[in-house]
């Protein structure tokens, strides 16, 4: 009987230690993470590593550009230029006079003006939103994703929006054809 009492007391202690550990896990500080997709390893992120182009010896070393600190290298990847060249375009026309290739796009989006400091304001509001929607205790304790639940009210129902646009007579060429109209 004494042996059974010791086992029961040991089990109760283990349960209490587990409950205290769970309670402490729920008291985390810092920025609330809703998505929890970070790698637990200390290694590099494989999506940020780009292989270099192969090294080539120029016909004359006079062809080499003047070295500039922080400048680009001849073996650096240039995905936008490479895509334009692969499609038969002239990559030299992407940036003229030091202008960004997105200059026209930025000019179009800024045509009605823009609010200064909007990025920091949105970041602050999103941090406050994530703090309010961190998930329940057990969701945080077991590191579960609450991203979709938290942002559910802000998501767009693509099928309802497609139907709304079609009812307005707006063409949606990239969407699947309306099968109801075929019947």
């Amino acid at each position: 009987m004494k042996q059974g009492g010791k086992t029961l007391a040991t089990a109760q202690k283990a349960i209490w230690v587990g409950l205290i550990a769970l309670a402490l896990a729920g008291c985390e500080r810092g920025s609330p993470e809703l998505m929890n997709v970070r790698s637990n390893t200390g290694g590099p992120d494989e999506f940020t590593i780009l292989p270099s182009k192969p090294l080539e010896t120029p016909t004359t070393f006079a062809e080499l550009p003047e070295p500039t600190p922080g400048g680009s290298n001849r073996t650096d990847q240039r995905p936008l230029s490479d895509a334009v060249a692969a499609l038969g375009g002239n990559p030299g026309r992407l940036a003229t006079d030091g202008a960004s290739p997105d200059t026209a796009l930025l000019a179009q989006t800024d045509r009605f003006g823009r609010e200064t400091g909007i990025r920091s304001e949105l970041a602050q509001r999103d941090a406050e939103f994530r703090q309010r929607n961190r998930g329940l205790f057990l969701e945080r304790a077991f590191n579960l994703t609450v991203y979709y639940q938290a942002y559910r009210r802000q998501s767009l129902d693509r099928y309802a929006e497609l139907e709304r646009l079609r009812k307005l007579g707006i063409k949606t060429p990239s969407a699947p054809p309306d099968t109801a109209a075929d019947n």
Side-chain angles (χ1 to χ4, degrees), residues 36-47:
N36 300 327
V37 292
R38 288 199 173 94
S39 172
N40 293 333
T41 64
D45 182 5
E46 63 271 15
F47 295 107

Side-chain angles (χ1 to χ4, degrees), residues 114-183:
R114 63 181 160 149
E115 189 174 325
T116 56
I118 188 69
R119 288 181 188 228
S120 59
E121 180 183 338
L122 289 177
Q124 178 187 358
R125 286 186 185 180
D126 189 55
E128 292 168 0
F129 177 81
R130 286 184 288 125
Q131 188 65 36
R132 287 191 312 269
N133 295 284
R134 310 175 41 183
L136 301 173
F137 169 73
L138 289 177
E139 291 171 334
R140 290 192 316 269
F142 291 107
N143 204 23
L144 298 176
T145 299
V146 294
Y147 178 86
Y148 297 107
Q149 178 185 353
Y151 287 100
R152 180 180 54 233
R153 293 185 59 207
Q154 297 177 18
S155 67
L156 178 68
D157 180 0
R158 61 182 181 249
Y159 299 111
E161 184 64 14
L162 178 62
E163 187 63 32
R164 185 184 76 81
L165 292 173
R166 285 183 174 161
K167 284 181 181 177
L168 290 172
I170 298 173
K171 294 182 181 183
T172 53
S174 63
D178 187 9
T179 56
D182 297 339
N183 294 336

